[in-house]
Amino acid sequence: MKKSTIIYWASGIVSICGIIFEVLFGALGSYILGDGVKQYTLTISLFLTGMGIGASLSEKVMKNLIISFIWVEFGVAIIGGFSSFTMFGITAIAPEGTDAFYLYFITALVGALTGFELPILIRKANEIGVSLNRSTARVLFSDYAGGLVGGLLFVFLLRPQFGMVKSAFLVGCINVTVALIVLWLFRKEIRHFMVHAVCGVIIALSLILGLFFGEELAFSFEQKLYKDPILHMEESSYQKIILTQDQKDVRLYLDGSLQLSSTDEYRYHETLVHPAMSFIDKPKNVLILGGGDGVAAKEVLKYDALESLTLVDLDPAVVELANTNKQLLKLNEGSLKDQKVTVKNMDAFKYLENSDEWFDVILVDLPDPNNESLNKLYTKEFYSLARNHLTAEGAMMVQATSPVFAREVYWTISETIASTGLNTENLHVDVPSFGNWGFVMASREEIDIENLTIEHETRFLEEDMLGSLTEFGKDEDQEIIGKDGEETVLKPNTLIDPHLIQIYERAWENY
């Protein structure tokens, strides 16, 4: 094989590794630090800036181009390979903010090392006789094509099959393997060949050990982030799913956010389901958006008039867990296996856009709007679509975060729903594992919550107390006081103006 061909192949492979590390750092930031759009934006910016710095520094290398390339690869391998493992460790034991600093630092550092590689390879190809224009074109082609392959590999193979810790170690192993192959093929040009080879082998062995044992150690780090022992942990194609249990308290977390606690979930789910279901005389067709754990579905199935329940949840892994895990099956009573239930694993927005079905009740049980993909499910456009699937007398209930911890968020959601022309009623309930939690009920009809009748068995909710759920204290009502002492004017959240994300971040930054 020609040495120039070796260089082109090396360029393509290390480019694959570089783009994988770039998107891996974005995924780490999204999972641990929140706000995926912000983290991916910072990751791309820092990585590209680092590449520019690395490319600039590469011109100072005047000799030993291959050795420079090999040691850059050793650096990428060890820093990138241990990146996820170290990130979880820092998050678990270091002071707040250290994890963000570490992530941004290694993003820029790996970017710099990646940017250092390509000019070195171009110059080496030119040194061995390839014209500059040809060496530049071919190395850059290998780089860009490798970037596409790396992105596809991460999305469709590495993240869902290996997770973030093993993926980092695996890609690090590829980097060091490329370095060792290049070292061997160019061995006649390299002084102290064995010294470099031994260093590379030591790095490779450390990465292989990390590949087999690093995830278990990272699991112990992540355990520190949860107060209860972890029963189940998996990374689906969409999110990280954690199930914990301490004595009788089973808790479900998605991307680090608590979704339910078995000790008090009934307070949340009874409030989500029964007021809206009671608003309709004999509700027959019901839609749940979210709720892949099956607990809301359990409450809906108490209604004898029900003919069909459609549940739309993006992540099939959550539904699979709800149907197979004995702790969740005990909570949801096998609701998703009921013959009346149809589960669709798809985006809720797309479902509403494409469906032609009508529903007596729509229950919106989606995660909080802490990133762009979730924000679209809290927009005027989304609620307008939901309205268009309600029957004339139908009712919708939306979980809308906490009016205490995130007062402006809650009332912005309420204002957004009202902007679609629906009548709204505001409710909140104390859920010990969450705190004070808010809901927004909506219908084309006028809503008089005190006229509703709860006719089904509940553990918490009864009709005499429904009116009290609509009473809000001074620190949680709609009068949002700004820093200047003036009332803040609430605007509907829209796809064009997704300001709810920023409001959400400000509200929860101290909790």
Side-chain angles (χ1 to χ4, degrees):
M1 182 183 294
K2 292 182 179 180
K3 289 185 176 181
S4 59
T5 304
I6 295 168
I7 289 173
Y8 302 144
W9 273 102
S11 173
I13 294 171
V14 299
S15 295
I16 291 172
C17 296
I19 195 66
I20 290 174
F21 280 130
E22 184 179 359
V23 294
L24 173 67
F25 297 153
L28 276 174
S30 179
Y31 171 57
I32 294 177
L33 304 176
D35 190 352
V37 172
K38 174 183 175 182
Q39 300 308 324
Y40 276 104
T41 301
L42 288 173
T43 296
I44 293 170
S45 301
L46 288 169
F47 199 89
L48 291 176
T49 300
M51 287 184 69
I53 294 171
S56 177
L57 292 175
S58 69
E59 69 176 287
K60 299 184 181 300
V61 179
M62 304 306 296
K63 55 183 180 179
N64 298 324
L65 296 177
I66 286 296
I67 285 298
S68 298
F69 171 76
I70 288 167
W71 276 97
V72 165
E73 286 307 295
F74 286 169
V76 173
I78 198 73
I79 296 168
F82 279 87
S83 59
S84 296
F85 174 80
T86 307
M87 183 70 173
F88 283 110
I90 289 174
T91 303
I93 63 178
E96 185 177 353
T98 308
D99 49 3
F101 174 81
Y102 167 76
L103 179 63
Y104 301 148
F105 175 74
I106 63 166
T107 298
L109 181 57
V110 173
L113 292 171
T114 302
F116 197 94
E117 297 166 343
L118 296 184
I120 294 293
L121 292 175
I122 291 170
R123 289 165 59 193
K124 184 61 182 178
N126 183 240
E127 184 182 281
I128 61 178
V130 182
S131 63
L132 182 60
N133 61 335
R134 177 172 293 184
S135 64
T136 301
R138 292 189 177 183
V139 169
L140 289 178
F141 171 78
S142 300
D143 174 58
Y144 298 148
L148 172 62
V149 174
L152 295 175
L153 282 174
F154 181 79
V155 171
F156 295 108
L157 176 64
L158 293 175
R159 187 177 186 273
Q161 297 297 324
F162 293 92
M164 287 185 280
V165 175
K166 281 188 176 181
S167 290
F169 282 121
L170 180 59
V171 177
C173 287
I174 295 172
N175 277 107
V176 76
T177 300
V178 169
L180 289 172
I181 291 173
V182 171
L183 177 66
W184 173 257
L185 294 175
F186 285 85
R187 62 190 181 279
K188 294 180 180 179
E189 301 179 19
I190 298 172
R191 295 177 61 190
H192 309 299
F193 167 79
M194 286 304 299
V195 174
H196 303 300
V198 169
C199 291
V201 170
I202 291 172
I203 293 172
L205 290 174
S206 67
L207 290 168
I208 291 170
L209 287 172
L211 183 62
F212 285 98
F213 303 106
E215 189 170 62
E216 185 176 344
L217 289 173
F219 179 85
S220 67
F221 292 147
E222 188 157 29
Q223 177 69 75
K224 296 180 184 296
L225 301 177
Y226 302 91
K227 71 171 189 175
D228 301 332
I230 295 176
L231 287 180
H232 177 87
M233 179 173 67
E234 68 173 297
E235 287 186 42
S236 73
S237 299
Y238 302 99
Q239 59 202 338
K240 192 157 194 174
I241 305 168
I242 301 283
L243 197 66
T244 69
Q245 181 173 13
D246 181 30
Q247 297 182 14
K248 294 183 179 181
D249 183 19
V250 176
R251 297 189 172 210
L252 175 65
Y253 296 84
L254 300 180
D255 278 345
S257 297
L258 179 64
Q259 302 302 305
L260 65 83
S261 167
S262 62
T263 58
D264 54 28
E265 57 76 18
Y266 60 90
R267 282 176 163 254
Y268 172 95
H269 288 103
E270 288 177 6
T271 307
L272 173 73
V273 172
H274 293 294
M277 293 292 290
S278 300
F279 189 79
I280 309 298
D281 182 28
K282 297 182 179 180
K284 296 180 180 179
N285 301 311
V286 175
L287 171 66
I288 299 177
L289 301 174
D293 51 61
V295 185
K298 175 190 70 175
E299 296 295 324
V300 172
L301 288 170
K302 292 179 179 180
Y303 290 78
D304 295 333
L306 182 74
E307 294 179 359
S308 70
L309 169 57
T310 302
L311 185 142
V312 179
D313 194 288
L314 179 64
D315 196 345
V318 175
V319 175
E320 177 67 16
L321 188 65
N323 281 332
T324 56
N325 180 271
K326 64 179 182 181
Q327 286 85 0
L328 285 182
L329 278 171
K330 183 178 180 181
L331 277 179
N332 64 37
E333 297 178 2
S335 61
L336 301 185
K337 300 178 181 181
D338 192 281
Q339 61 182 3
K340 295 181 180 179
V341 177
T342 300
V343 176
K344 298 180 181 291
N345 293 123
M346 62 185 300
D347 178 79
F349 201 106
K350 290 183 179 179
Y351 172 79
L352 292 176
E353 280 186 314
N354 298 319
S355 174
D356 57 2
E357 296 182 73
W358 291 75
F359 300 95
D360 300 313
V361 175
I362 297 177
L363 305 173
V364 185
D365 188 19
L366 296 165
D368 284 358
N370 58 11
N371 60 53
E372 290 284 352
S373 61
L374 288 171
N375 174 80
K376 73 176 183 179
L377 305 179
Y378 286 82
T379 59
K380 181 178 180 179
E381 292 84 350
F382 177 76
Y383 294 128
S384 296
L385 286 171
R387 175 203 60 199
N388 294 342
H389 287 276
L390 273 177
T391 56
E393 298 178 350
M396 176 169 66
M397 184 70 88
V398 179
Q399 90 80 13
T401 196
S402 171
V404 175
F405 304 131
R407 179 167 61 158
E408 191 174 351
V409 177
Y410 173 80
W411 291 106
T412 297
I413 294 171
S414 180
E415 179 67 24
T416 303
I417 296 171
S419 71
T420 67
L422 294 173
N423 297 301
T424 60
E425 180 63 86
N426 301 97
L427 301 89
H428 65 132
V429 63
D430 184 58
V431 183
S433 60
F434 286 117
N436 192 294
W437 212 256
F439 301 84
V440 180
M441 186 171 169
S443 175
R444 292 185 179 86
E445 302 289 321
E446 291 290 336
I447 301 172
D448 186 349
I449 203 79
E450 294 186 352
N451 287 338
L452 300 183
T453 301
I454 306 297
E455 297 180 347
H456 294 81
E457 182 181 353
T458 57
R459 296 175 61 187
F460 163 70
L461 201 61
E462 56 185 0
E463 58 191 61
D464 291 343
M465 66 180 294
L466 285 174
S468 67
L469 301 184
T470 65
E471 299 295 330
F472 290 78
K474 289 183 178 180
D475 64 344
E476 56 191 9
D477 64 17
Q478 195 168 1
E479 293 183 3
I480 310 295
I481 306 300
K483 292 181 180 179
D484 56 0
E486 298 294 328
E487 182 176 346
T488 300
V489 178
L490 300 176
K491 300 185 300 180
N493 186 48
T494 65
L495 289 174
I496 296 175
D497 180 21
H499 58 279
L500 188 64
I501 298 175
Q502 289 73 35
I503 301 173
Y504 185 91
E505 285 182 342
R506 290 198 305 268
W508 286 100
E509 64 183 355
N510 295 321
Y511 297 100

mmCIF file of all heavy atoms in Angstrom, residues 14 18 47 49-55 57-58 68-69 71-80 106-120 175:
data_model
loop_
_atom_site.group_PDB
_atom_site.id
_atom_site.type_symbol
_atom_site.label_atom_id
_atom_site.label_comp_id
_atom_site.label_asym_id
_atom_site.label_seq_id
_atom_site.Cartn_x
_atom_site.Cartn_y
_atom_site.Cartn_z
ATOM 1 N N VAL A 14 -9.613 9.050 11.514
ATOM 2 C CA VAL A 14 -9.523 9.964 12.655
ATOM 3 C C VAL A 14 -10.601 11.039 12.573
ATOM 4 O O VAL A 14 -11.038 11.573 13.605
ATOM 5 C CB VAL A 14 -8.119 10.596 12.774
ATOM 6 C CG1 VAL A 14 -7.066 9.518 12.982
ATOM 7 C CG2 VAL A 14 -7.782 11.486 11.589
ATOM 8 N N GLY A 18 -13.171 12.027 15.380
ATOM 9 C CA GLY A 18 -13.324 13.408 15.822
ATOM 10 C C GLY A 18 -14.769 13.845 15.888
ATOM 11 O O GLY A 18 -15.205 14.444 16.881
ATOM 12 N N PHE A 47 -15.496 23.251 19.739
ATOM 13 C CA PHE A 47 -14.742 22.248 18.978
ATOM 14 C C PHE A 47 -14.128 22.878 17.725
ATOM 15 O O PHE A 47 -12.939 22.672 17.423
ATOM 16 C CB PHE A 47 -15.649 21.076 18.601
ATOM 17 C CG PHE A 47 -14.917 19.827 18.223
ATOM 18 C CD1 PHE A 47 -14.574 18.891 19.183
ATOM 19 C CD2 PHE A 47 -14.567 19.577 16.907
ATOM 20 C CE1 PHE A 47 -13.888 17.726 18.846
ATOM 21 C CE2 PHE A 47 -13.896 18.418 16.547
ATOM 22 C CZ PHE A 47 -13.550 17.495 17.527
ATOM 23 N N THR A 49 -13.569 26.084 17.191
ATOM 24 C CA THR A 49 -12.557 27.052 17.612
ATOM 25 C C THR A 49 -11.252 26.337 17.955
ATOM 26 O O THR A 49 -10.159 26.778 17.585
ATOM 27 C CB THR A 49 -13.052 27.857 18.834
ATOM 28 O OG1 THR A 49 -14.242 28.556 18.476
ATOM 29 C CG2 THR A 49 -11.999 28.853 19.291
ATOM 30 N N GLY A 50 -11.393 25.217 18.681
ATOM 31 C CA GLY A 50 -10.218 24.414 19.007
ATOM 32 C C GLY A 50 -9.516 23.922 17.755
ATOM 33 O O GLY A 50 -8.276 23.938 17.663
ATOM 34 N N MET A 51 -10.300 23.502 16.745
ATOM 35 C CA MET A 51 -9.692 23.040 15.491
ATOM 36 C C MET A 51 -8.894 24.158 14.831
ATOM 37 O O MET A 51 -7.797 23.925 14.292
ATOM 38 C CB MET A 51 -10.778 22.527 14.544
ATOM 39 C CG MET A 51 -11.381 21.200 14.948
ATOM 40 S SD MET A 51 -12.579 20.583 13.724
ATOM 41 C CE MET A 51 -11.482 20.181 12.355
ATOM 42 N N GLY A 52 -9.434 25.365 14.869
ATOM 43 C CA GLY A 52 -8.720 26.497 14.292
ATOM 44 C C GLY A 52 -7.407 26.761 15.008
ATOM 45 O O GLY A 52 -6.368 27.006 14.373
ATOM 46 N N ILE A 53 -7.447 26.696 16.346
ATOM 47 C CA ILE A 53 -6.224 26.899 17.132
ATOM 48 C C ILE A 53 -5.207 25.803 16.832
ATOM 49 O O ILE A 53 -4.014 26.061 16.632
ATOM 50 C CB ILE A 53 -6.555 26.940 18.630
ATOM 51 C CG1 ILE A 53 -7.413 28.176 18.943
ATOM 52 C CG2 ILE A 53 -5.283 26.945 19.479
ATOM 53 C CD1 ILE A 53 -7.975 28.194 20.353
ATOM 54 N N GLY A 54 -5.685 24.558 16.762
ATOM 55 C CA GLY A 54 -4.790 23.439 16.475
ATOM 56 C C GLY A 54 -4.157 23.552 15.101
ATOM 57 O O GLY A 54 -2.954 23.297 14.925
ATOM 58 N N ALA A 55 -4.970 23.945 14.109
ATOM 59 C CA ALA A 55 -4.438 24.100 12.751
ATOM 60 C C ALA A 55 -3.359 25.179 12.707
ATOM 61 O O ALA A 55 -2.339 25.038 12.022
ATOM 62 C CB ALA A 55 -5.570 24.442 11.788
ATOM 63 N N LEU A 57 -1.429 26.120 15.231
ATOM 64 C CA LEU A 57 -0.232 25.657 15.944
ATOM 65 C C LEU A 57 0.568 24.638 15.132
ATOM 66 O O LEU A 57 1.779 24.494 15.325
ATOM 67 C CB LEU A 57 -0.626 25.045 17.293
ATOM 68 C CG LEU A 57 -1.177 26.024 18.348
ATOM 69 C CD1 LEU A 57 -1.650 25.260 19.583
ATOM 70 C CD2 LEU A 57 -0.114 27.055 18.737
ATOM 71 N N SER A 58 -0.107 23.933 14.238
ATOM 72 C CA SER A 58 0.566 22.866 13.494
ATOM 73 C C SER A 58 1.686 23.388 12.603
ATOM 74 O O SER A 58 2.614 22.654 12.258
ATOM 75 C CB SER A 58 -0.447 22.086 12.641
ATOM 76 O OG SER A 58 -0.932 22.906 11.581
ATOM 77 N N SER A 68 4.602 13.550 15.259
ATOM 78 C CA SER A 68 3.644 14.542 15.765
ATOM 79 C C SER A 68 2.212 14.019 15.627
ATOM 80 O O SER A 68 1.393 14.119 16.555
ATOM 81 C CB SER A 68 3.800 15.857 15.007
ATOM 82 O OG SER A 68 5.082 16.404 15.203
ATOM 83 N N PHE A 69 1.913 13.447 14.440
ATOM 84 C CA PHE A 69 0.576 12.890 14.225
ATOM 85 C C PHE A 69 0.281 11.769 15.210
ATOM 86 O O PHE A 69 -0.808 11.703 15.788
ATOM 87 C CB PHE A 69 0.458 12.374 12.792
ATOM 88 C CG PHE A 69 -0.798 11.589 12.543
ATOM 89 C CD1 PHE A 69 -2.015 12.221 12.393
ATOM 90 C CD2 PHE A 69 -0.771 10.193 12.479
ATOM 91 C CE1 PHE A 69 -3.179 11.500 12.183
ATOM 92 C CE2 PHE A 69 -1.918 9.461 12.268
ATOM 93 C CZ PHE A 69 -3.132 10.113 12.117
ATOM 94 N N TRP A 71 1.505 11.176 18.213
ATOM 95 C CA TRP A 71 1.285 11.617 19.597
ATOM 96 C C TRP A 71 0.013 12.451 19.745
ATOM 97 O O TRP A 71 -0.614 12.454 20.806
ATOM 98 C CB TRP A 71 2.510 12.368 20.108
ATOM 99 C CG TRP A 71 3.520 11.381 20.616
ATOM 100 C CD1 TRP A 71 4.598 10.883 19.950
ATOM 101 C CD2 TRP A 71 3.489 10.720 21.889
ATOM 102 N NE1 TRP A 71 5.260 9.950 20.718
ATOM 103 C CE2 TRP A 71 4.605 9.833 21.924
ATOM 104 C CE3 TRP A 71 2.658 10.786 22.996
ATOM 105 C CZ2 TRP A 71 4.880 9.028 23.021
ATOM 106 C CZ3 TRP A 71 2.928 9.987 24.098
ATOM 107 C CH2 TRP A 71 4.031 9.123 24.098
ATOM 108 N N VAL A 72 -0.380 13.130 18.685
ATOM 109 C CA VAL A 72 -1.696 13.786 18.719
ATOM 110 C C VAL A 72 -2.792 12.736 18.855
ATOM 111 O O VAL A 72 -3.741 12.889 19.634
ATOM 112 C CB VAL A 72 -1.907 14.643 17.450
ATOM 113 C CG1 VAL A 72 -3.379 15.020 17.295
ATOM 114 C CG2 VAL A 72 -1.062 15.905 17.518
ATOM 115 N N GLU A 73 -2.651 11.628 18.103
ATOM 116 C CA GLU A 73 -3.642 10.551 18.196
ATOM 117 C C GLU A 73 -3.638 9.916 19.584
ATOM 118 O O GLU A 73 -4.698 9.576 20.126
ATOM 119 C CB GLU A 73 -3.380 9.489 17.132
ATOM 120 C CG GLU A 73 -3.758 9.923 15.736
ATOM 121 C CD GLU A 73 -5.184 10.416 15.679
ATOM 122 O OE1 GLU A 73 -6.113 9.626 15.908
ATOM 123 O OE2 GLU A 73 -5.371 11.613 15.412
ATOM 124 N N PHE A 74 -2.456 9.742 20.154
ATOM 125 C CA PHE A 74 -2.395 9.228 21.530
ATOM 126 C C PHE A 74 -3.154 10.169 22.470
ATOM 127 O O PHE A 74 -3.883 9.718 23.362
ATOM 128 C CB PHE A 74 -0.935 9.124 21.985
ATOM 129 C CG PHE A 74 -0.170 7.980 21.383
ATOM 130 C CD1 PHE A 74 1.217 7.907 21.525
ATOM 131 C CD2 PHE A 74 -0.806 6.981 20.662
ATOM 132 C CE1 PHE A 74 1.941 6.848 20.981
ATOM 133 C CE2 PHE A 74 -0.093 5.914 20.116
ATOM 134 C CZ PHE A 74 1.287 5.858 20.271
ATOM 135 N N GLY A 75 -2.987 11.475 22.269
ATOM 136 C CA GLY A 75 -3.672 12.451 23.118
ATOM 137 C C GLY A 75 -5.177 12.400 22.957
ATOM 138 O O GLY A 75 -5.930 12.400 23.943
ATOM 139 N N VAL A 76 -5.642 12.368 21.700
ATOM 140 C CA VAL A 76 -7.093 12.265 21.454
ATOM 141 C C VAL A 76 -7.647 10.994 22.081
ATOM 142 O O VAL A 76 -8.727 10.983 22.686
ATOM 143 C CB VAL A 76 -7.392 12.299 19.944
ATOM 144 C CG1 VAL A 76 -8.873 12.009 19.683
ATOM 145 C CG2 VAL A 76 -7.005 13.648 19.357
ATOM 146 N N ALA A 77 -6.907 9.896 21.936
ATOM 147 C CA ALA A 77 -7.368 8.603 22.451
ATOM 148 C C ALA A 77 -7.541 8.630 23.959
ATOM 149 O O ALA A 77 -8.590 8.217 24.483
ATOM 150 C CB ALA A 77 -6.389 7.505 22.049
ATOM 151 N N ILE A 78 -6.550 9.132 24.680
ATOM 152 C CA ILE A 78 -6.613 9.073 26.140
ATOM 153 C C ILE A 78 -7.580 10.105 26.701
ATOM 154 O O ILE A 78 -8.341 9.834 27.642
ATOM 155 C CB ILE A 78 -5.193 9.235 26.747
ATOM 156 C CG1 ILE A 78 -5.182 8.725 28.198
ATOM 157 C CG2 ILE A 78 -4.680 10.631 26.653
ATOM 158 C CD1 ILE A 78 -5.256 7.236 28.334
ATOM 159 N N ILE A 79 -7.581 11.314 26.125
ATOM 160 C CA ILE A 79 -8.481 12.369 26.628
ATOM 161 C C ILE A 79 -9.924 12.071 26.242
ATOM 162 O O ILE A 79 -10.823 12.107 27.081
ATOM 163 C CB ILE A 79 -8.047 13.746 26.088
ATOM 164 C CG1 ILE A 79 -6.655 14.109 26.608
ATOM 165 C CG2 ILE A 79 -9.055 14.822 26.501
ATOM 166 C CD1 ILE A 79 -6.042 15.305 25.909
ATOM 167 N N GLY A 80 -10.148 11.766 24.969
ATOM 168 C CA GLY A 80 -11.510 11.459 24.526
ATOM 169 C C GLY A 80 -12.024 10.165 25.103
ATOM 170 O O GLY A 80 -13.191 10.062 25.498
ATOM 171 N N ILE A 106 -12.349 20.058 27.690
ATOM 172 C CA ILE A 106 -11.924 18.928 26.856
ATOM 173 C C ILE A 106 -12.494 19.037 25.444
ATOM 174 O O ILE A 106 -11.891 18.539 24.488
ATOM 175 C CB ILE A 106 -12.295 17.562 27.481
ATOM 176 C CG1 ILE A 106 -13.808 17.391 27.605
ATOM 177 C CG2 ILE A 106 -11.600 17.359 28.815
ATOM 178 C CD1 ILE A 106 -14.220 15.968 27.887
ATOM 179 N N THR A 107 -13.657 19.681 25.299
ATOM 180 C CA THR A 107 -14.196 19.893 23.952
ATOM 181 C C THR A 107 -13.232 20.732 23.128
ATOM 182 O O THR A 107 -12.902 20.395 21.985
ATOM 183 C CB THR A 107 -15.564 20.588 24.032
ATOM 184 O OG1 THR A 107 -16.487 19.767 24.741
ATOM 185 C CG2 THR A 107 -16.114 20.851 22.632
ATOM 186 N N ALA A 108 -12.775 21.845 23.712
ATOM 187 C CA ALA A 108 -11.824 22.698 23.006
ATOM 188 C C ALA A 108 -10.488 21.986 22.797
ATOM 189 O O ALA A 108 -9.860 22.114 21.729
ATOM 190 C CB ALA A 108 -11.620 23.999 23.786
ATOM 191 N N LEU A 109 -10.054 21.203 23.790
ATOM 192 C CA LEU A 109 -8.766 20.521 23.699
ATOM 193 C C LEU A 109 -8.778 19.439 22.621
ATOM 194 O O LEU A 109 -7.860 19.364 21.787
ATOM 195 C CB LEU A 109 -8.399 19.912 25.054
ATOM 196 C CG LEU A 109 -7.058 19.177 25.135
ATOM 197 C CD1 LEU A 109 -5.919 20.098 24.720
ATOM 198 C CD2 LEU A 109 -6.826 18.630 26.544
ATOM 199 N N VAL A 110 -9.805 18.606 22.623
ATOM 200 C CA VAL A 110 -9.890 17.565 21.591
ATOM 201 C C VAL A 110 -10.078 18.208 20.218
ATOM 202 O O VAL A 110 -9.538 17.734 19.212
ATOM 203 C CB VAL A 110 -11.030 16.575 21.915
ATOM 204 C CG1 VAL A 110 -11.248 15.594 20.768
ATOM 205 C CG2 VAL A 110 -10.717 15.806 23.196
ATOM 206 N N GLY A 111 -10.836 19.312 20.172
ATOM 207 C CA GLY A 111 -10.964 20.042 18.917
ATOM 208 C C GLY A 111 -9.616 20.531 18.409
ATOM 209 O O GLY A 111 -9.304 20.435 17.217
ATOM 210 N N ALA A 112 -8.786 21.055 19.336
ATOM 211 C CA ALA A 112 -7.456 21.545 18.952
ATOM 212 C C ALA A 112 -6.581 20.408 18.421
ATOM 213 O O ALA A 112 -5.880 20.561 17.408
ATOM 214 C CB ALA A 112 -6.784 22.215 20.144
ATOM 215 N N LEU A 113 -6.628 19.271 19.083
ATOM 216 C CA LEU A 113 -5.839 18.129 18.631
ATOM 217 C C LEU A 113 -6.325 17.632 17.266
ATOM 218 O O LEU A 113 -5.515 17.262 16.403
ATOM 219 C CB LEU A 113 -5.915 16.998 19.663
ATOM 220 C CG LEU A 113 -5.230 17.278 21.011
ATOM 221 C CD1 LEU A 113 -5.561 16.183 22.019
ATOM 222 C CD2 LEU A 113 -3.721 17.410 20.835
ATOM 223 N N THR A 114 -7.646 17.645 17.073
ATOM 224 C CA THR A 114 -8.209 17.231 15.781
ATOM 225 C C THR A 114 -7.792 18.200 14.676
ATOM 226 O O THR A 114 -7.449 17.792 13.559
ATOM 227 C CB THR A 114 -9.739 17.149 15.867
ATOM 228 O OG1 THR A 114 -10.107 16.230 16.905
ATOM 229 C CG2 THR A 114 -10.339 16.678 14.551
ATOM 230 N N GLY A 115 -7.827 19.511 14.982
ATOM 231 C CA GLY A 115 -7.403 20.499 14.005
ATOM 232 C C GLY A 115 -5.922 20.426 13.692
ATOM 233 O O GLY A 115 -5.480 20.802 12.598
ATOM 234 N N PHE A 116 -5.154 19.941 14.637
ATOM 235 C CA PHE A 116 -3.701 19.793 14.459
ATOM 236 C C PHE A 116 -3.376 18.682 13.464
ATOM 237 O O PHE A 116 -2.369 18.748 12.749
ATOM 238 C CB PHE A 116 -3.074 19.484 15.829
ATOM 239 C CG PHE A 116 -1.593 19.687 15.903
ATOM 240 C CD1 PHE A 116 -1.057 20.884 16.356
ATOM 241 C CD2 PHE A 116 -0.716 18.676 15.532
ATOM 242 C CE1 PHE A 116 0.312 21.072 16.433
ATOM 243 C CE2 PHE A 116 0.661 18.849 15.605
ATOM 244 C CZ PHE A 116 1.176 20.057 16.054
ATOM 245 N N GLU A 117 -4.239 17.655 13.413
ATOM 246 C CA GLU A 117 -3.956 16.458 12.618
ATOM 247 C C GLU A 117 -3.894 16.735 11.120
ATOM 248 O O GLU A 117 -2.954 16.316 10.430
ATOM 249 C CB GLU A 117 -5.034 15.395 12.854
ATOM 250 C CG GLU A 117 -5.131 14.864 14.254
ATOM 251 C CD GLU A 117 -6.417 14.092 14.450
ATOM 252 O OE1 GLU A 117 -7.354 14.235 13.639
ATOM 253 O OE2 GLU A 117 -6.478 13.340 15.437
ATOM 254 N N LEU A 118 -4.936 17.411 10.593
ATOM 255 C CA LEU A 118 -5.106 17.490 9.141
ATOM 256 C C LEU A 118 -3.964 18.219 8.428
ATOM 257 O O LEU A 118 -3.447 17.717 7.413
ATOM 258 C CB LEU A 118 -6.453 18.137 8.807
ATOM 259 C CG LEU A 118 -7.681 17.340 9.255
ATOM 260 C CD1 LEU A 118 -8.948 18.022 8.794
ATOM 261 C CD2 LEU A 118 -7.633 15.912 8.719
ATOM 262 N N PRO A 119 -3.538 19.393 8.906
ATOM 263 C CA PRO A 119 -2.393 20.026 8.219
ATOM 264 C C PRO A 119 -1.140 19.157 8.243
ATOM 265 O O PRO A 119 -0.368 19.151 7.269
ATOM 266 C CB PRO A 119 -2.179 21.316 9.027
ATOM 267 C CG PRO A 119 -3.496 21.601 9.660
ATOM 268 C CD PRO A 119 -4.069 20.258 9.981
ATOM 269 N N ILE A 120 -0.936 18.422 9.338
ATOM 270 C CA ILE A 120 0.216 17.525 9.426
ATOM 271 C C ILE A 120 0.138 16.449 8.348
ATOM 272 O O ILE A 120 1.124 16.142 7.651
ATOM 273 C CB ILE A 120 0.282 16.875 10.827
ATOM 274 C CG1 ILE A 120 0.567 17.924 11.899
ATOM 275 C CG2 ILE A 120 1.326 15.756 10.860
ATOM 276 C CD1 ILE A 120 1.937 18.542 11.816
ATOM 277 N N ASN A 175 -8.686 5.401 17.803
ATOM 278 C CA ASN A 175 -7.640 6.415 17.623
ATOM 279 C C ASN A 175 -6.243 5.842 17.876
ATOM 280 O O ASN A 175 -5.312 6.051 17.084
ATOM 281 C CB ASN A 175 -7.875 7.591 18.566
ATOM 282 C CG ASN A 175 -8.872 8.593 18.026
ATOM 283 O OD1 ASN A 175 -9.991 8.669 18.503
ATOM 284 N ND2 ASN A 175 -8.467 9.361 17.032
#
